[in-house]
Amino acid sequence: MRTIKPFFIAILILAALFTAGFMNGQTIGQLSDGMDEQLQLSRAAAVEGRWEDATEAFSAANDTWKAHEAYFHVVIDHKEIDEMESLFSEAGSYAHQQDSNRYCTSTACLSVRLSHMKEAQQMNWKNIF
Amino acid sequence: MLTALIRTIILYFLIMGGLRLMGKRQIGELEPSELVLALLISDLAAVPMQDFGIPLFNGIFPILTLLSLSMILSVLNLKSIRLRTLICGNPTVIIQEGHILQKAMRSTRFTVDELIEELRQQNVVDLSTVQYAILETNGQLSVLLYPEHQPLTPKTLQNKKLADAGLPITVISDGHVLERNLHTLGLDRIWLSRKLEENNLPSPKAVFLMTVDKQHQLYFLKKE
């Protein structure tokens, strides 16, 4: 029994790591999908010149990012986080200037970054090998 | 993160398999699984330590995975002789009854120069004094001299005639009978049952370790 105990502890740790990894993938996926959805709405509103709606949707995405900033720092490469933050800041200033071309380009870059962030945390053959 | 976990598992078995294929000489003093653990953990720990841009969890996650895998394998090693052989390999007899087994040397890629060097390190300069030399799973060479060349002990002073007990061979390991070793000694299950009965042992399961030498002298340790 004494030899079996560490075996089960190790199995439990592995199971906990698998669960944590899986949960992390799911959480990042849900958060990035949510932010991307808001950015897409914001882009569509900006193209139509509805800047109030565009700013509101963009703020929702930015708030989600800020609310989970600490979590992102724990699980994602810090360089990636810095780049995301500067893109959010850049898009925010274009929204303020109501420059739809630059705003759309900037938020499109953010959407791509978010999809990369989500993709990097998923378990698939491409990521493993 | 889950990708890092899967990658760690794959790398662990890949490096371990690679080291097993490399043979004993490359391993040095560590068992293959211990060496893999030492190599990987040191590297994994070094990266997040040096690069602050990498989250610490990226290092902790694979290290915990490695430690858990190592723990699981060490418990399974304890329970299964087959798995132990698969992971750690078997000791290889290089010199038997004074004869150098060239086939064994070729299979372990152990050269004559290395054999002589290892013997010299153990203060053995005359090959003809060596009865057995065994290349252990950790890459070290164990040497057993002929009785007349062995160091003097109070027991040998009492017996003028030196008994050649040879190399004790394990016949029961953690309750499992090692049939091959039993046959190597020219013994069988009937002999073993008789000896167990003589020593009031109900079955091999009650024995933790039993060794038998050339003189068929027993040494055993009951299971606690």
Side-chain angles (χ1 to χ4, degrees):
Chain A
M1 193 64 204
R2 229 179 284 163
T3 54
I4 289 294
K5 203 176 158 188
F7 178 79
F8 285 115
I9 292 170
I11 293 277
L12 274 176
I13 293 172
L14 267 189
L17 291 174
F18 263 108
T19 313
F22 183 73
M23 297 285 282
N24 175 61
Q26 294 287 311
T27 311
I28 297 272
Q30 280 169 8
L31 287 172
S32 57
D33 281 348
M35 285 187 277
D36 186 37
E37 208 173 301
Q38 293 293 336
L39 290 172
Q40 279 180 30
L41 285 173
S42 174
R43 260 199 309 277
V47 169
E48 289 166 14
R50 293 183 284 112
W51 280 104
E52 205 173 303
D53 293 342
T55 315
E56 197 183 321
F58 175 77
S59 295
N62 202 10
D63 289 347
T64 309
W65 175 264
K66 279 181 179 162
H68 297 89
E69 210 176 347
Y71 172 66
F72 290 135
H73 266 91
V74 173
V75 294
I76 296 168
D77 198 323
H78 296 180
K79 272 182 204 161
E80 214 172 309
I81 291 172
D82 293 344
E83 281 168 16
M84 289 289 284
E85 276 169 358
S86 43
L87 275 173
F88 265 114
S89 162
E90 190 184 82
S93 64
Y94 291 141
H96 187 69
Q97 292 163 18
Q98 298 195 346
D99 184 339
S100 62
N101 281 341
R102 284 180 173 171
Y103 179 73
C104 286
T105 312
S106 191
T107 50
C109 278
L110 261 175
S111 291
V112 170
R113 291 255 173 206
L114 283 169
S115 76
H116 282 172
M117 190 176 87
K118 177 192 166 184
E119 211 267 334
Q121 300 296 324
Q122 303 301 309
M123 190 187 70
N124 53 40
W125 294 114
K126 201 172 81 179
N127 279 344
I128 291 169
F129 292 101
Chain B
M1 207 179 264
L2 204 55
T3 305
L5 182 74
I6 303 285
R7 276 185 176 184
T8 311
I9 293 171
I10 291 172
L11 283 171
Y12 179 77
F13 285 111
L14 191 76
I15 296 175
M16 245 188 69
L19 279 165
R20 280 286 288 119
L21 289 174
M22 277 166 74
K24 291 166 191 163
R25 282 178 46 224
Q26 308 291 327
I27 296 165
E29 290 181 13
L30 296 171
E31 291 287 346
S33 55
E34 293 166 343
L35 183 68
V36 170
L37 203 66
L39 287 175
L40 288 183
I41 287 184
S42 59
D43 206 39
L44 283 168
V47 175
M49 254 194 270
Q50 289 169 339
D51 190 346
F52 296 138
I54 296 170
L56 195 60
F57 264 93
N58 280 12
I60 292 172
F61 228 73
I63 289 172
L64 279 177
T65 309
L66 284 175
L67 291 174
S68 304
L69 282 175
S70 170
M71 182 61 78
I72 290 168
L73 279 185
S74 66
V75 174
L76 291 177
N77 269 354
L78 214 66
K79 297 281 160 197
S80 164
I81 292 170
R82 276 187 192 169
L83 189 73
R84 195 155 59 217
T85 308
L86 188 75
I87 292 170
C88 302
N90 272 327
T92 309
V93 179
I94 299 289
I95 300 178
Q96 189 175 29
E97 295 293 348
H99 295 289
I100 296 176
L101 305 179
Q102 293 178 32
K103 200 177 160 189
M105 285 187 71
R106 271 196 299 274
S107 70
T108 52
R109 275 163 284 153
F110 202 64
T111 64
V112 180
D113 292 339
E114 282 167 329
L115 175 67
I116 292 166
E117 193 181 313
E118 284 282 344
L119 289 172
R120 272 201 307 266
Q121 279 173 8
Q122 301 199 33
N123 298 324
V124 179
V125 284
D126 186 0
L127 258 170
S128 66
T129 61
V130 180
Q131 189 176 15
Y132 287 99
I134 300 148
L135 189 60
E136 304 293 355
T137 53
N138 63 4
Q140 294 209 320
L141 192 75
S142 300
V143 181
L144 182 77
L145 301 176
Y146 278 109
E148 58 268 30
H149 296 288
Q150 281 176 15
L152 200 61
T153 64
K155 198 181 172 186
T156 45
L157 271 174
Q158 283 166 6
N159 303 329
K160 281 181 184 169
K161 193 184 165 194
L162 293 164
D164 178 14
L167 190 72
I169 293 176
T170 308
V171 290
I172 300 177
S173 169
D174 203 4
H176 295 97
V177 179
L178 306 176
E179 298 279 357
R180 208 173 67 173
N181 291 358
L182 204 60
H183 292 152
T184 307
L185 288 158
L187 303 169
D188 53 20
R189 281 268 192 173
I190 300 161
W191 177 89
L192 187 66
S193 303
R194 206 173 57 237
K195 287 290 171 191
L196 289 171
E197 210 173 294
E198 280 172 19
N199 290 289
N200 297 321
L201 295 162
S203 73
K205 295 244 177 275
V207 182
F208 184 67
L209 175 73
M210 184 182 276
T211 60
V212 181
D213 63 23
K214 226 161 68 175
Q215 306 288 325
H216 294 179
Q217 279 183 328
L218 278 184
Y219 165 80
F220 70 89
L221 194 67
K222 278 185 191 174
K223 229 181 194 178
E224 284 171 5

